[in-house]
């Protein structure tokens, strides 16, 4: 069990630029989740996948956000035309079955200047 | 939208004292999980409670799920500096994949 891996750990970008984050879940986990967390707050759900299928998206996920999990393994989260309000920690988590505990990565901290 | 309110939001106490953190909602959950998160890291699961009224103990930590499955508490006995962190409750709804996280309690234990 190598854990959930996220890359990069930190990303600083200028407003208007596009950014892409990667998440590698625990290999036998077919469920993958993206959450966003601002400083001192609890994580907010963004979207989740069961294998390669994206089954639910939060209203927080505007048209500028897109997530993929093309082969049911790793996932990417892209933010287009970044805004300062996108600055946050983006957390990825995986789990093996429905409603089982989530295994989180250490997140990607995005700063939009 | 399901909301999980945690109280207090911030808590700073001396080493050796006891404390209780609360997690409340108007919604019913099929299960409730508690996580602890340290700076720069993702949340790490502490416990899952499933049955209304259930009590689980993890060393000096005692977790309780409310009878109506709408609330939970975390009690820490003889707090230690290593208990410092952000404590998060998270609820799972029946038939729903996603976890809804609480607002968090930032705990600081002063040596």
């Amino acid at each position: 069990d190598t854990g959930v891996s996220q890359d990069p750990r930190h990303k600083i970008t200028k407003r208007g630029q596009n950014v892409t984050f990667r998440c590698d879940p625990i290999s036998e986990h077919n469920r993958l989740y993206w959450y966003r967390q601002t400083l001192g707050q609890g994580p907010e759900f963004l979207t989740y996948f069961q294998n390669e299928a994206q089954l639910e998206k939060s209203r927080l996920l505007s048209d500028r956000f897109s997530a993929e999990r093309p082969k049911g393994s790793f996932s990417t989260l892209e933010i287009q035309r970044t805004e300062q309000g996108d600055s946050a920690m983006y957390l990825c988590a995986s789990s093996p079955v429905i409603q089982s505990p989530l295994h989180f990565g250490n997140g990607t901290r995005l700063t939009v200047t | 939208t399901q909301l999980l309110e945690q109280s207090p939001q911030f808590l700073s106490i001396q080493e050796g004292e006891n404390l209780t953190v609360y997690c409340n909602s108007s919604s019913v959950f099929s299960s409730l999980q508690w996580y602890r998160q340290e700076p720069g890291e993702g949340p790490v699961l502490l416990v899952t409670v499933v049955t209304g009224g259930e009590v689980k103990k993890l060393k000096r930590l005692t977790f309780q799920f409310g009878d109506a499955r709408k609330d939970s508490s975390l009690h820490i006995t003889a707090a230690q500096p290593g208990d410092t962190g952000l404590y998060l409750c998270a609820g799972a709804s029946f038939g729903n994949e996603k976890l809804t996280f609480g607002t968090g309690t930032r705990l600081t234990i002063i040596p």
Side-chain angles (χ1 to χ4, degrees):
Chain A
D1 181 357
T2 56
V4 177
S5 177
Q6 292 189 245
D7 183 70
R9 290 296 312 275
H10 303 274
K11 179 69 177 179
I12 301 174
T13 192
K14 292 185 177 180
R15 184 164 51 97
Q17 297 295 306
N18 299 343
V19 294
T20 300
F21 310 141
R22 176 179 170 125
C23 171
D24 287 272
I26 293 172
S27 58
E28 60 269 26
H29 288 184
N30 61 12
R31 285 166 167 79
L32 186 148
Y33 304 79
W34 286 98
Y35 282 81
R36 181 171 69 187
Q37 185 178 28
T38 52
L39 198 62
Q41 300 296 311
E44 296 174 297
F45 171 80
L46 292 178
T47 188
Y48 91 93
F49 293 83
Q50 181 176 332
N51 299 313
E52 66 276 10
Q54 187 175 17
L55 297 185
E56 186 173 347
K57 292 170 60 174
S58 164
R59 285 172 292 178
L60 292 174
L61 216 63
S62 75
D63 291 345
R64 298 183 297 104
F65 288 70
S66 62
E68 294 182 343
R69 194 183 183 195
K71 298 183 179 179
S73 56
F74 73 92
S75 176
T76 57
L77 177 67
E78 180 183 16
I79 308 174
Q80 296 182 327
R81 305 181 303 282
T82 53
E83 302 174 355
Q84 287 187 318
D86 297 332
S87 295
M89 174 77 85
Y90 289 84
L91 291 164
C92 176
S94 68
S95 71
V97 295
I98 186 171
Q99 297 195 355
S100 59
L102 299 184
H103 298 254
F104 282 91
N106 285 332
T108 294
R109 179 164 295 286
L110 173 66
T111 303
V112 182
T113 62
Chain B
T1 302
Q2 297 168 320
L3 293 175
L4 277 167
E5 295 288 337
Q6 289 186 236
S7 61
Q9 186 177 359
F10 298 96
L11 183 58
S12 182
I13 63 170
Q14 294 287 333
E15 180 178 359
E17 294 185 354
N18 302 333
L19 66 108
T20 302
V21 174
Y22 299 92
C23 173
N24 294 292
S25 176
S26 57
S27 301
V28 176
F29 294 100
S30 60
S31 66
L32 198 134
Q33 299 168 16
W34 283 92
Y35 292 78
R36 185 173 78 192
Q37 185 178 22
E38 300 193 23
E41 299 181 6
V44 176
L45 178 75
L46 295 174
V47 79
T48 301
V49 285
V50 178
T51 306
E54 181 177 4
V55 176
K56 278 192 175 179
K57 291 192 175 184
L58 187 67
K59 297 183 181 179
R60 294 177 294 100
L61 278 59
T62 301
F63 304 84
Q64 184 164 10
F65 200 12
D67 290 342
R69 310 167 78 112
K70 294 182 179 181
D71 54 85
S72 181
S73 63
L74 158 59
H75 182 78
I76 301 179
T77 304
Q80 298 178 1
D83 296 327
T84 293
L86 179 67
Y87 287 80
L88 297 160
C89 62
S93 300
F94 294 96
N96 196 322
E97 284 277 356
K98 69 182 184 189
L99 278 183
T100 300
F101 279 84
T103 49
T105 293
R106 182 158 301 280
L107 174 64
T108 302
I109 308 301
I110 303 165

